[in-house]
Amino acid sequence: MLTILGFAMIATFLVLIMTKKMSPIAALVLIPALFCVAVGQGAQLGDYVIEGVGNLAPTAAMLMFAIVYFGVMIDVGLFDPIVRGILKFCQADPMRIVVGTAVLAAIVSLDGDGSTTFMITVSAMYPLYKRLKMSLVVMTGVAATANGVMNTLPWGGPTARAATALKLDASEIFVPMIPALAMGLLAVFVLAYVLGIRERKRLGMLTLDEALAREPEPETVSAGTGGTGGKDRLRKGTGASAGATGTGSGTSASGTENEDEDDDEFQGLDPNRPTLRPKLYWFNAGLTAALLTAMIMELLPIPVLFLLGAALALTVNFPHMPDQRARIAAHADNVLNVSGMVFAAAVFTGVLTGTGMVEHMADWVVGTVPDAMGPHMAIVTGLLSLPLTYFMSNDGFYFGVLPVLAEAGAAHGVSPVEIARASLAGQALHMSSPLVPAVYVLVGMAKVEFGDHTRFTVKWAVLTSLVVLAAGILFGIM
């Protein structure tokens, strides 16, 4: 019964947000609350929620101060040279911009933290997409998929969890997987190229001067096919569509973005905004490099690092209290949206785990594997990693399900290290899971509806994950 209700709860949530019948925050809170009552555990709802909030509180704190930190870095102009450099290199060519998004996301993902990757990538690329009226779901989809592949780095999380759960060395899992992961990353670059070509055909090409000369217009985030007339809209600027009439499902997102566009989207290209601090550029660059280095070396917990970094960045760049309050207020909207989403997700994960739904779902999935597939448990694990890491947290999958799969594989002569390697295949899809807090940073900063992002990204992320799995099999890694 709990198995059926667990799948029903997840399906209900996804249908409601993808059809835009409910906002993600409302769905993350109300749907699990109703299902908790339905399974007869309504009296324990408070305990489940408190436990979920306690588990995600450090993540929420990290995201809050990370948004403030990188928001200040954008304000003071740290990323302006990147934006201008990419625009000059891309020559306002949508194909180059989409490929550049994938490359930038992959490079920044070396720090091992998804939220940081998305903040930097969106900060650098968002103005280009808005200027050229490119699809914002293309940007979020490519960035999320690239980060998902790179998230398998030993310090990124999944590999370390797999190694811990199966008592293996992380390098023993990761190093042989490098060729397969390289093929996955190549698949992301090919995907970016194809999507970029489609954007180029839809929008045409501008010169650098034309791109810089264009005026911002009210726009609507969309995940549609773009239809015809894209080039005319680009040239004539009728304001009829968003930077984001995309190459996806053909549906438009709700919410027209003409409400408060105080040039936030375009500050990365505005050389005269009053918040610029050119004399402090190298201080800010050094502070950011030191912060990322400390994260990779795990000198302090990430929330503490961003708390200290945000406080230092505000104090040095804006020594006067009114200026500090103004910067905090400028980014309060993003902070509230993202932290609210994280705490709402805590309700979902708390109920899913506390009621025992996730455990019953995992047991059912593992139990459906035929005995004849025993010698191929590595392949089975790779295939199961796609849906299970999407509908479960990485902790739940790697510490709850993976040991069971490894035990089943061992009974048929499949080594635990092969199972561990195969379990990494689904990470490209995992990064777009509604249970991953970093994805809300991505869609929030990009002003894309989560449902639009999901509809557009899931198919490409699944394809990328299957490429990683197929490459692993081809190279004899699993």
Side-chain angles (χ1 to χ4, degrees), residues 39 369 450:
V39 300
V369 178
F450 181 78

Side-chain angles (χ1 to χ4, degrees), residues 382-397:
L383 291 173
L384 289 179
S385 72
L386 273 71
L388 292 183
T389 58
Y390 186 80
F391 295 126
M392 300 171 62
S393 68
N394 269 342
D395 285 338
F397 175 72

Side-chain angles (χ1 to χ4, degrees), residues 37 60 153 246 255 266 280 286 407:
V37 173
L153 292 167
F266 305 98
L280 293 172
E407 185 176 346

Side-chain angles (χ1 to χ4, degrees), residues 34 76 100 115 150 281 289 332 386 409 426 450:
L34 290 174
V76 300
S115 57
M150 296 297 290
Y281 182 84
L386 273 71
F450 181 78

Side-chain angles (χ1 to χ4, degrees), residues 22 24 79 101 112 144 154 163 170 180 186 193 207 217 220 271 346 355-356 360 371 378 390 399 438 463 473:
M22 293 182 73
F79 301 111
T101 301
L186 178 61
Y193 175 80
T207 65
E217 299 163 4
T220 306
T355 57
H360 280 75
D371 290 339
Y390 186 80
F399 294 120
L463 180 61
I473 297 170

Side-chain angles (χ1 to χ4, degrees), residues 88-215:
K88 289 178 181 178
F89 170 76
C90 294
Q91 300 175 354
D93 179 359
M95 183 274 289
R96 294 190 183 189
I97 291 173
V98 178
V99 173
T101 301
V103 172
L104 179 60
I107 292 174
V108 181
S109 294
L110 291 171
D111 73 347
D113 181 63
S115 57
T116 304
T117 297
F118 295 148
M119 289 175 194
I120 294 175
T121 301
V122 175
S123 298
M125 303 306 296
Y126 185 79
L128 307 183
Y129 281 78
K130 294 291 281 185
R131 283 284 179 181
L132 299 181
K133 293 194 176 297
M134 292 176 61
S135 171
L136 293 176
V137 288
V138 168
M139 177 180 68
T140 60
V142 168
T145 308
N147 178 252
V149 175
M150 296 297 290
N151 193 46
T152 54
L153 292 167
W155 54 88
T159 301
R161 288 180 175 92
T164 302
L166 301 184
K167 298 178 175 60
L168 300 169
D169 185 79
S171 61
E172 187 181 6
I173 299 172
F174 176 74
V175 173
M177 277 292 290
I178 291 177
L181 297 173
M183 293 301 296
L185 195 57
L186 178 61
V188 174
F189 294 152
V190 171
L191 169 64
Y193 175 80
V194 172
L195 295 176
I197 290 294
R198 292 168 67 175
E199 284 294 277
R200 179 197 284 174
K201 290 179 179 178
R202 183 176 67 85
L203 297 171
M205 291 178 60
L206 291 177
T207 65
L208 178 61
D209 291 338
E210 286 174 321
L212 291 173
R214 296 195 50 205
E215 292 297 325

